[in-house]
Amino acid sequence: MLAILRKIAQAVSQQPDLTSALETFVSLVKESMKTQCCSVYFADYNQENFVLMATKGLNPNAVGKFRIGFTEGLVGLVAQREEPLNLAFAQDHPRFIYSPDVDEDNYNAFLAVPIVHQKKILGVIVIQQNLARVFSQDEESFLITLSAQLASQLAHAEISEILKQDEKAHQTSCLKGASGAPGIAIGEAFVVMPKLSFANFELKKTDLEVSSNLEQIKLFRQAVAATRNEFSIMSQELSDTLPNEALAVFQVYQQLLDAKSLGQKVEKEIKQGWCAKSALKRVIESLIGQFMSMQDNYIKERAIDVQDIGIRVLHHIVDTEHALKTYPDNMILVTDVLTPTMLAQVPKDKLMGIISISGGSNSHASILTKALGIPAVWGVTDLPLLQVDGKEMIIDAYASKVYISPSNILKQEYSQFKKQEGILHDQFESEYQLDACTLDGEHIQLLLNAGLEVSTELTNAHFSDGVGLYRTEAWFMQKSQFPTQLEQENWYREVLTSYHPSPVIMRTLDIGGDKVLSYFDIEEENPFLGWRGIRFSLDHPELFLEQLKAMLKANAGLGNLKILLPMVTNVTEVEEAQRLLKQAYFELEDEWADQFYKIEQPEVGVMLEVPSSIFLLPEWAKKVDFCSVGSNDLTQYLLAVDRTNSQVAELFDPYHPSVLRALNQIAQSCMKYELPFSLCGELAADPEGAILLVAMGYRSLSMNPSSINKVKWVLRRLKITDMEELLQSCLSQPSAIKVHRIIRNFIISHGLSQLLYKVKEA
Ligand code: PEP
Ligand code: MG
């Protein structure tokens, strides 16, 4: 069964367009399920009906013409119920509608399953047969599996097709994702693919001109030559360490690259009009398919070699293409997975916006874009990467939307909106020197989250009351090995000096999860529940002590350092960390006995970001000097939603009543136990979140540099008593949707509706 499924999926993926993908699909399903008819209907949401898109067994002339309403017939019923329908006599069913145009009179048995992608019905697959019989459970589950497996592939193909049609008709396409940094960006798409795989790009034809075919052949041959060279170097380097039999694998690789095997096939595809990458994809996928279908396990495993070689050649093609490309002045970076390194490579003055196909808006890469103030949309899963390269785009990160090839009217509307956004931004900025004081006179300490992008942060240094979270790991991530104690000391001193005399809360290394060091590989099934933060530091006291000593030395003579421990889940971790801090302090005290500045013992705090830590507040009050709530991770762990997973991005909502109640409980307990507390997650950077937090009793909020003026501006226009009333109402709501609605009404009724950006649908 698995082999048939794979064969169908692969054959569909090899097709250049939706029509041939669906034709291939219906033929193969009909053949493999040994029925007489297979058809696919697609939902047309504009006309609210299903259209017959492909068939093997019904009247082929009805394809593209025959339509049936969303609530009509058996097809409509399957979609309405969102479940399969398996009938021996379809015509006896009360919902059956006789349609002479499709020629289905001879069929009795009917099995249909819905095609569902991201909760949305894309269409319905139907198989039919003369013989009046109920299809077996096995047949039913095969069709369900097939439909589930192919839903995203079909969605992709459908969107590619819509983009092509829209382009011909000069129409705008719109896709939805999840918002990261808010804002509007208008620019040209620049596609970067960090993780190359044949699966993540779609096929593309060249313009069929002979000259462009020759260029593609040249590109391919250069890539093959570079790959050959790579293999020779590798085999030479390994010749001392590997036995001859193992080295023979490189010869096999070189043979596979030979013009007669791979080369000829790829060049033939290029001559048929495919671009070099697509030609390579078609040949490699077909070779893999052939290898996989062999009985012999040894030959089967060679599919991995073919895949490996293909990816290496692909890398060289893409590298050459990139080297030839220049960054557009108003670049919208479009990528599969955004990495901090990728951001570091692109020129910031040209970068207008970011679109990432995977990832969630609370990932660390997303937090980095917020710190930079670059509008971003995440999880635009169906965006066909290659097809959008070089296209005009608009990002509306307020509405989490991406417009491709926008119309002039839409561009004008968004340009206007961007202007208004700029005016509002200037209003926020005009009050940066004023006190963050509510209308009823309460000062709220506004601190910076820093460490991710040093240049921006330092220019904002004087806007804030200090640094509430310095993420030290971001700097570690830019290195090629663990930095030495001296390097760290110099770095930390620079940071502490820049903000002096304001406090700087430095967090010890919080790697793990989505923060990886290139020089220290951690492979885990569940990285967010794994070796992260304090767990890693305590398992590597030699590294932890280096970091602590560097911090203590950097603080000598300054005295504005506070140390924060990440991912704390139990008391023993904190005791152990404090023991190591004492050790670092005493060792340095001896070493520094004759220095002018003395080593001081800084205050130590814990991050409250794992649910268990909330219940340990009485213990924390005795053991540490302060605590800081990490609402990003607290939301992730309370709601069991991976903050980086676009599939569940909609469920990540810090306004969920459970999260709000937990945050409120933390504030109440901290006040009861007289433990100083603040919050440094992204919630504090949302004016709505800041309002609720202040109402709960938080008087210290730490946020990304680009949000601080906005939050200050809002807090200066409200009274705590009004915020408290709002909070009470939010805390009693059963769902996040209701909480959002109430806050929205509050914002409008307090004359702050300019915060609720919205561009009219074009
Ligand atoms: C948090 O979890 O809220 C936090 C501030 O830490 P980070 O986002 O770096 O995990
Ligand atoms: Mg965290």
Side-chain angles (χ1 to χ4, degrees):
M1 239 8 152
L2 205 57
I4 301 175
L5 279 172
R6 199 178 286 133
K7 182 177 149 198
I8 297 177
Q10 192 208 327
V12 171
S13 86
Q14 294 258 306
Q15 304 310 312
D17 52 42
L18 183 63
T19 309
S20 37
L22 291 177
E23 275 169 4
T24 311
F25 178 79
V26 290
S27 297
L28 290 175
V29 174
K30 176 177 170 258
E31 183 192 311
S32 52
M33 292 192 74
K34 301 190 175 55
T35 66
Q36 282 141 337
C37 177
C38 175
S39 317
V40 172
Y41 294 82
F42 261 20
D44 178 339
Y45 280 87
N46 288 330
Q47 298 194 27
E48 300 200 346
N49 56 26
F50 290 98
V51 54
L52 179 66
M53 293 292 286
T55 185
K56 263 280 175 255
L58 296 183
N59 178 6
N61 295 328
V63 170
K65 294 186 197 121
F66 177 67
R67 288 175 179 262
I68 185 155
F70 271 173
T71 54
E72 286 173 4
L74 297 177
V75 168
L77 183 64
V78 171
Q80 271 176 308
R81 288 210 196 140
E82 301 183 342
E83 61 180 5
L85 187 62
N86 189 349
L87 305 168
F89 291 100
Q91 307 194 10
D92 285 356
H93 194 282
R95 282 283 294 264
F96 179 81
I97 296 179
Y98 177 68
S99 318
D101 299 344
V102 290
D103 291 350
E104 59 182 343
D105 309 35
N106 291 332
Y107 301 126
N108 284 304
F110 174 101
L111 171 63
V113 297
I115 311 170
V116 189
H117 178 58
Q118 294 175 343
K119 291 191 194 150
K120 191 173 164 191
I121 302 279
L122 287 186
V124 175
I125 306 171
V126 183
I127 56 169
Q128 290 168 279
Q129 202 171 7
N130 299 134
L131 184 68
R133 63 157 184 130
V134 173
F135 286 92
S136 73
Q137 298 254 328
D138 270 356
E139 287 168 313
E140 194 173 313
S141 61
F142 177 77
L143 205 60
I144 292 173
T145 316
L146 200 57
S147 160
Q149 255 204 6
L150 285 185
S152 70
Q153 218 171 324
L154 292 181
H156 243 80
E158 191 192 11
I159 285 166
S160 291
E161 195 64 24
I162 291 171
L163 282 181
K164 277 186 218 155
Q165 299 301 336
D166 284 354
E167 196 172 7
K168 272 191 218 141
H170 301 286
Q171 282 191 27
T172 308
S173 310
C174 177
L175 295 175
K176 204 148 165 45
S179 277
I184 303 294
I186 305 173
E188 182 183 327
F190 184 88
V191 174
V192 179
M193 291 201 272
K195 262 204 323 201
L196 283 184
S197 82
F198 286 108
N200 75 2
F201 73 84
E202 60 291 342
L203 295 165
K204 193 177 168 190
K205 284 218 167 184
T206 57
D207 49 16
L208 277 173
E209 298 249 331
V210 177
S211 61
S212 79
N213 288 352
L214 291 179
E215 258 170 45
Q216 294 296 308
I217 289 178
K218 192 171 151 207
L219 184 63
F220 169 69
R221 286 186 185 167
Q222 280 170 346
V224 169
T227 311
R228 277 188 185 290
N229 198 23
E230 205 172 272
F231 286 144
S232 315
I233 296 171
M234 271 198 244
S235 109
Q236 263 165 26
E237 280 175 357
L238 294 172
S239 59
D240 292 341
T241 41
L242 287 185
N244 279 347
E245 313 86 77
L247 285 172
V249 77
F250 288 108
Q251 274 165 19
V252 177
Y253 279 17
Q254 296 278 19
Q255 278 160 12
L256 274 170
L257 280 172
D258 270 353
K260 274 188 257 95
S261 23
L262 190 71
Q264 256 177 19
K265 288 196 177 79
V266 175
E267 290 186 17
K268 193 168 151 212
E269 297 280 333
I270 294 177
K271 282 179 195 149
Q272 281 169 7
W274 296 104
C275 71
K277 281 180 294 204
S278 301
L280 184 67
K281 173 181 160 105
R282 283 172 62 84
V283 172
I284 294 287
E285 284 186 345
S286 134
L287 281 175
I288 290 175
Q290 285 169 25
F291 279 93
M292 294 296 284
S293 61
M294 302 284 182
Q295 292 297 326
D296 185 317
N297 272 344
Y298 176 81
I299 298 181
K300 246 188 192 160
E301 280 167 18
R302 299 287 66 77
I304 298 171
D305 298 336
V306 174
Q307 167 88 6
D308 183 35
I309 291 171
I311 291 290
R312 279 171 195 277
V313 178
L314 183 64
H315 256 290
H316 288 292
I317 296 179
V318 171
D319 285 352
T320 317
E321 283 181 341
H322 271 184
L324 297 173
K325 271 185 12 180
T326 46
Y327 294 113
D329 285 339
N330 50 355
M331 169 179 33
I332 293 193
L333 180 66
V334 185
T335 181
D336 180 20
V337 192
L338 183 77
T339 61
T341 337
M342 199 186 283
L343 263 185
Q345 279 164 356
V346 297
K348 299 289 175 306
D349 56 329
K350 295 188 171 183
L351 185 59
M352 301 294 138
I354 292 169
I355 300 168
S356 179
I357 289 192
S358 55
S361 51
N362 284 283
S363 64
H364 284 90
S366 167
I367 291 174
L368 176 54
T369 66
K370 288 183 195 167
L372 292 168
I374 299 171
V377 177
W378 299 80
V380 193
T381 35
D382 293 322
L383 188 81
L385 267 182
L386 287 188
Q387 217 174 318
V388 297
D389 198 23
K391 289 220 174 346
E392 273 198 301
M393 279 195 165
I394 295 178
I395 295 182
D396 178 349
Y398 296 112
S400 317
K401 283 182 180 165
V402 169
Y403 295 94
I404 304 156
S405 310
S407 64
N408 284 339
I409 299 177
L410 199 64
K411 275 193 283 183
Q412 274 164 17
E413 209 155 324
Y414 270 103
S415 306
Q416 190 58 29
F417 185 56
K418 224 173 138 45
K419 258 192 218 144
Q420 285 163 11
E421 196 193 27
I423 295 170
L424 198 57
H425 181 265
D426 291 346
Q427 278 179 25
F428 298 152
E429 200 140 294
S430 66
E431 295 188 9
Y432 82 92
Q433 283 171 312
L434 302 180
D435 190 19
C437 190
T438 61
L439 275 185
D440 38 9
E442 188 81 37
H443 172 74
I444 313 297
Q445 192 185 34
L446 297 187
L447 300 151
L448 282 181
N449 282 355
L452 294 174
E453 240 286 330
V454 187
S455 50
T456 337
E457 289 149 14
L458 291 186
T459 53
N460 280 281
H462 52 284
F463 294 14
S464 69
D465 295 321
V467 175
L469 170 66
Y470 191 87
R471 291 179 163 103
T472 58
E473 60 278 356
W475 182 66
F476 275 64
M477 285 163 76
Q478 289 167 25
K479 300 267 150 202
S480 52
Q481 58 178 32
F482 282 106
T484 64
Q485 191 190 114
L486 181 63
E487 269 183 287
Q488 291 190 56
E489 180 191 333
N490 291 339
W491 176 253
Y492 299 148
R493 176 169 284 275
E494 201 178 306
V495 175
L496 292 173
T497 312
S498 323
Y499 296 98
H500 191 265
S502 302
V504 175
I505 300 180
M506 276 198 178
R507 184 169 73 182
T508 60
L509 204 57
D510 183 23
I511 53 158
D514 61 342
K515 290 179 284 193
V516 283
L517 301 177
S518 56
Y519 46 92
F520 194 92
D521 217 12
I522 304 177
E523 284 269 336
E524 287 176 314
E525 287 277 324
N526 258 321
F528 278 108
L529 299 183
W531 209 28
R532 215 196 135 180
I534 194 76
R535 300 173 183 180
F536 173 84
S537 293
L538 293 180
D539 283 349
H540 277 285
E542 77 291 7
L543 295 171
F544 192 38
L545 280 167
E546 289 284 281
Q547 181 169 44
L548 294 174
K549 283 185 179 175
M551 284 182 181
L552 295 182
K553 281 185 182 174
N555 189 40
L558 291 170
N560 57 338
L561 166 76
K562 295 183 187 197
I563 292 180
L564 183 60
L565 305 172
M567 267 294 284
V568 162
T569 54
N570 62 51
V571 171
T572 321
E573 287 164 341
V574 174
E575 287 172 347
E576 187 61 4
Q578 283 173 325
R579 184 186 67 72
L580 288 164
L581 181 60
K582 278 237 152 42
Q583 181 180 328
Y585 168 74
F586 287 124
E587 284 174 14
L588 284 180
E589 215 188 17
D590 281 351
E591 242 178 72
W592 274 48
D594 44 355
Q595 300 270 354
F596 180 73
Y597 292 119
K598 293 281 163 264
I599 297 288
E600 291 175 26
Q601 294 206 48
E603 287 187 4
V604 176
V606 286
M607 294 243 1
L608 301 183
E609 47 187 357
V610 180
S612 69
S613 64
I614 304 175
F615 302 99
L616 291 172
L617 275 164
E619 280 76 8
W620 301 142
K622 290 186 207 128
K623 292 200 175 291
V624 296
D625 303 300
F626 66 95
C627 65
S628 183
V629 182
S631 57
N632 308 334
D633 276 315
L634 191 59
T635 306
Q636 152 164 276
Y637 295 126
L638 265 180
L639 303 182
V641 188
D642 181 338
R643 58 196 271 190
T644 63
N645 184 343
S646 54
Q647 197 72 34
V648 288
E650 265 182 43
L651 298 175
F652 189 102
D653 194 335
Y655 295 87
H656 186 297
S658 307
V659 180
L660 293 182
R661 289 173 203 175
L663 293 172
N664 191 47
Q665 190 183 321
I666 292 173
Q668 302 302 314
S669 301
C670 287
M671 288 190 265
K672 178 173 164 198
Y673 297 112
E674 296 181 358
L675 178 66
F677 64 107
S678 62
L679 186 136
C680 61
E682 289 303 304
L683 184 62
D686 250 2
E688 292 91 335
I691 293 171
L692 293 183
L693 292 166
V694 168
M696 290 175 194
Y698 290 80
R699 292 293 174 267
S700 172
L701 301 174
S702 191
M703 63 200 69
N704 66 65
S706 55
S707 301
I708 206 156
N709 291 331
K710 181 163 149 186
V711 169
K712 183 187 284 185
W713 188 88
V714 172
L715 292 179
R716 285 175 47 78
R717 279 157 180 77
L718 294 169
K719 280 195 194 135
I720 299 228
T721 44
D722 290 344
M723 301 187 215
E724 283 170 348
E725 213 174 290
L726 169 72
L727 173 69
Q728 285 321 313
S729 151
C730 289
L731 286 174
S732 61
Q733 296 309 313
S735 69
I737 293 183
K738 295 207 164 140
V739 171
H740 285 294
R741 202 171 297 148
I742 291 176
I743 303 179
R744 197 184 155 81
N745 291 341
F746 175 88
I747 301 258
I748 295 170
S749 65
H750 283 78
L752 302 172
S753 51
Q754 58 268 60
L755 290 173
L756 307 168
Y757 308 89
K758 179 113 181 90
V759 166
K760 280 198 281 44
E761 294 285 338

